[in-house]
Amino acid sequence: MARTMISPELLEAFLLRFRYQLARGEDTRPGSPVNPTRADLDHELEVIRHELARQIRSHLNQHSLFYRLPIEVVSVIFHLVVHDGTLQDAEPAKEAIKISSISRLWREIATEMCPTLWTKLDALPTPLLDLFLSRSRSAPLEILFTPSAVGRTVEILEFLERVVPHIHRWRVCRIVYDTSPGEQDVLKLLQEASAPAPQLEVLQLNFMVMYDPTIIPLEFLDPFCGITPRLRTIDCDFYVPMSSPIFRGLTNLHLSWT
């Protein structure tokens, strides 16, 4: 719903009338009590002041330098803030949420015009994970589930159930799972949901478990249906048939415990 700006003259006249009513204990609002209390009128005045302050802040913001920047420039700035890997203890999810909470304009740009802010998916709470998947639209995704995800709030299988339907958007997939048992369930889910990954560039799947592959074989027999035309890096510690098409065009390969 559009809001109408209150002119200074109209506001001043309104406040003068309101103060006059306040002094006499009157209230002309529709549906108001016949004999409003001083507390009722004080509350109404506070509501008016709050709305006035909001409108003044909005008006001043529109005259700031930031509001005169092209939307494309603002989007680039937001992207750099969220994905700048040089910042210590940077958490992309928190930075994206923070940016979208500053003002109405920032929220509109961040949520409607800057899908790259929402593409780094780690062990977020499930509702937040779904929100990021929605706001990232069709942008390539970076899937991260590693021990460095401090305060992990979602289990690995629940995480994968959310992100696997978006395999076609995966650009980076780094899953380092350091809890046993569970490796077989992870690989089974990936195997059953395997689909082409045309944008995948980096694949890291490590289970960090010292096991005997002759007793507990970990296999991923048909990863991504063999369709990974952009894949350049593989780091995994389970068996993938060397005849698989995913090995074509690699520039970095690390296999262990196969």
Side-chain angles (χ1 to χ4, degrees):
M1 181 182 295
R3 296 178 180 269
T4 303
M5 290 294 293
I6 302 174
S7 67
E9 295 79 8
L10 179 60
L11 178 67
E12 182 64 25
F14 183 80
L15 290 177
L16 284 173
R17 178 174 177 79
F18 192 87
R19 292 192 185 99
Y20 174 72
Q21 293 174 338
L22 190 64
R24 298 185 55 187
E26 298 177 359
D27 192 359
T28 59
R29 295 169 300 166
S32 301
V34 176
N35 297 309
T37 65
R38 178 62 179 257
D40 293 331
L41 298 175
D42 284 340
H43 174 72
E44 185 70 14
L45 183 58
E46 186 61 31
V47 170
I48 294 172
R49 286 173 174 166
H50 178 77
E51 175 61 18
L52 174 62
R54 186 198 66 78
Q55 292 192 16
I56 290 175
R57 285 195 300 268
S58 177
H59 185 69
L60 290 175
N61 285 341
Q62 292 175 19
H63 290 277
S64 69
L65 175 61
F66 186 87
Y67 272 62
R68 296 199 296 269
L69 290 175
I71 297 298
E72 294 79 8
V73 174
V74 176
S75 298
V76 170
I77 293 173
F78 286 173
H79 179 86
L80 292 175
V81 170
V82 172
H83 295 291
D84 186 357
T86 64
L87 298 178
Q88 292 184 348
D89 302 323
E91 298 185 46
K94 287 185 178 181
E95 296 298 330
I97 293 294
K98 188 185 303 181
I99 285 174
S100 66
S101 304
I102 296 298
S103 69
R104 184 179 301 177
L105 175 65
W106 286 32
R107 178 179 178 82
E108 181 180 351
I109 296 175
T111 60
E112 302 295 331
M113 308 173 193
C114 201
T116 58
L117 296 187
W118 315 94
T119 55
K120 185 168 285 190
L121 308 179
D122 56 20
L124 299 168
T126 300
L128 205 55
L129 186 59
D130 291 339
L131 179 68
F132 274 56
L133 285 168
S134 173
R135 289 183 174 177
S136 62
R137 301 178 183 272
S138 60
L141 300 174
E142 187 169 349
I143 309 300
L144 303 171
F145 197 98
T146 70
S148 61
V150 180
R152 184 176 295 168
T153 56
V154 62
E155 295 299 324
I156 180 67
L157 292 181
E158 184 179 359
F159 175 79
L160 287 175
E161 286 173 354
R162 286 295 194 282
V163 300
V164 159
H166 301 269
I167 282 181
H168 61 285
R169 291 204 285 140
W170 289 10
R171 184 182 65 83
V172 174
C173 176
R174 297 186 186 276
I175 297 177
V176 181
Y177 189 61
D178 58 351
T179 303
S180 181
E183 308 90 347
Q184 294 283 9
D185 293 334
V186 172
L187 282 178
K188 181 180 178 182
L189 190 154
L190 288 174
Q191 185 73 60
E192 292 178 349
S194 188
Q199 302 194 60
L200 188 63
E201 299 174 7
V202 177
L203 175 64
Q204 180 183 4
L205 294 175
N206 296 137
F207 294 103
M208 301 176 65
V209 177
M210 303 294 285
Y211 64 91
D212 185 345
T214 62
I215 299 176
I216 310 177
L218 294 179
E219 301 177 335
F220 195 176
L221 299 180
D222 188 22
F224 310 110
C225 300
I227 302 176
T228 54
R230 297 186 181 182
L231 187 59
R232 295 296 176 264
T233 297
I234 292 180
D235 181 352
C236 63
D237 54 8
F238 51 85
Y239 174 70
V240 177
M242 294 305 296
S243 59
S244 173
I246 72 168
F247 291 111
R248 297 173 184 169
L250 296 180
T251 59
N252 190 353
L253 175 63
H254 182 268
L255 302 176
S256 59
W257 293 93
T258 58

